[in-house]
Amino acid sequence: QSLRLKLVSMVQSQMGVDGLVWGSGWLNAAGHLDVGESRLYGRDHKLFEDYQSISASDPVTGSFLKRPNELQLVSVDHAYRTKATSIHLDFARRHRISHLALVGLSVAAGDGFRWMTLYRSERGRPFDEYVTEQLKLMVPLALTLDMMCHKPNSVERNLGVKALKNCSPREREVVKAFAQGLSHRQIAHHLHLS
């Protein structure tokens, strides 16, 4: 759990988010998400309770579940601008959500996936290009590291090994430093990166 808390702290500070959900689950026969585990950081847990009643009709979640391995950036005002999504917009405003970033990692066919949903409350502060590129790298690595440490079954461990095999030797050095809890600045200094 301490590694996850370090990863959450790093994601929140480095990516400028004020809340996130870290979860795992599976798609059911109806194409909806069955949540296995979810943790909320930086937000009131009432968010989970309120979201349960509207999750099945949420077009953002529906889109994410079709492509969970792709980073999805969402402006709440844009995504929920129709009359049919007004309940989703009301929910987002009630919970101070202006922008979302959804990032997932498939475990294996039929074995579900893991994800992070990151929140920003400031309307005029969407995720910029720099943060977007960082999210594409940092979140899948964080999900993989956490998976390898907390759920050591063979399918998930093999996924972590495969994910790391796809990394260059230099990227593996960054992952190792990240797993040790170093900040972006410390990693850059230690590995002589600019």
Side-chain angles (χ1 to χ4, degrees):
Q1 194 67 3
S2 64
L3 174 62
R4 182 181 286 186
L5 292 176
K6 287 180 183 178
L7 294 169
V8 166
S9 176
M10 185 176 289
V11 168
Q12 285 181 310
S13 66
Q14 299 293 327
M15 301 298 108
V17 299
D18 50 42
L20 67 89
V21 174
W22 191 308
S24 64
W26 301 262
L27 287 179
N28 63 28
H32 299 123
L33 178 64
D34 286 336
V35 176
E37 174 195 15
S38 61
R39 303 282 164 119
L40 181 64
Y41 300 90
R43 293 295 174 106
D44 187 307
H45 279 29
K46 181 104 171 85
L47 183 147
F48 278 155
E49 295 170 26
D50 292 351
Y51 189 67
Q52 286 179 347
S53 65
I54 63 169
S55 63
S57 64
D58 184 359
V60 170
T61 297
S63 175
F64 176 64
L65 293 176
K66 290 176 186 168
R67 298 180 316 275
N69 292 331
E70 294 178 23
L71 171 66
Q72 295 187 34
L73 302 175
V74 178
S75 166
V76 166
D77 289 334
H78 178 74
Y80 301 133
R81 67 182 181 274
T82 68
K83 190 171 188 163
T85 58
S86 64
I87 59 171
H88 303 94
L89 181 60
D90 290 344
F91 163 83
R93 288 187 175 155
R94 192 169 52 254
H95 290 283
R96 302 174 350 268
I97 301 169
S98 293
H99 300 280
L100 302 167
L102 298 97
V103 186
L105 178 69
S106 292
V107 176
D111 287 325
F113 63 95
R114 294 178 176 273
W115 75 90
M116 249 190 239
T117 303
L118 300 102
Y119 303 117
R120 278 191 172 167
S121 57
E122 295 178 53
R123 275 196 169 149
R125 195 165 166 244
F127 294 97
D128 62 27
E129 189 175 324
Y130 172 78
V131 170
T132 298
E133 291 305 312
Q134 294 298 310
L135 287 171
K136 287 178 184 177
L137 175 66
M138 181 186 275
V139 174
L141 288 174
L143 292 169
T144 299
L145 288 169
D146 180 69
M147 185 171 39
M148 291 170 64
C149 293
H150 293 98
K151 299 285 185 182
N153 74 40
S154 61
V155 171
E156 292 179 337
R157 188 170 39 246
N158 288 339
L159 173 67
V161 170
K162 285 179 189 173
L164 291 176
K165 281 185 179 179
N166 291 332
C167 292
S168 70
R170 189 67 163 169
E171 288 169 331
R172 283 193 291 275
E173 286 181 68
V174 172
V175 170
K176 184 177 176 184
F178 186 67
Q180 292 170 343
L182 298 178
S183 71
H184 274 80
R185 215 172 253 153
Q186 291 168 320
I187 292 169
H189 178 74
H190 178 72
L191 298 177
H192 308 290
L193 301 171
S194 57

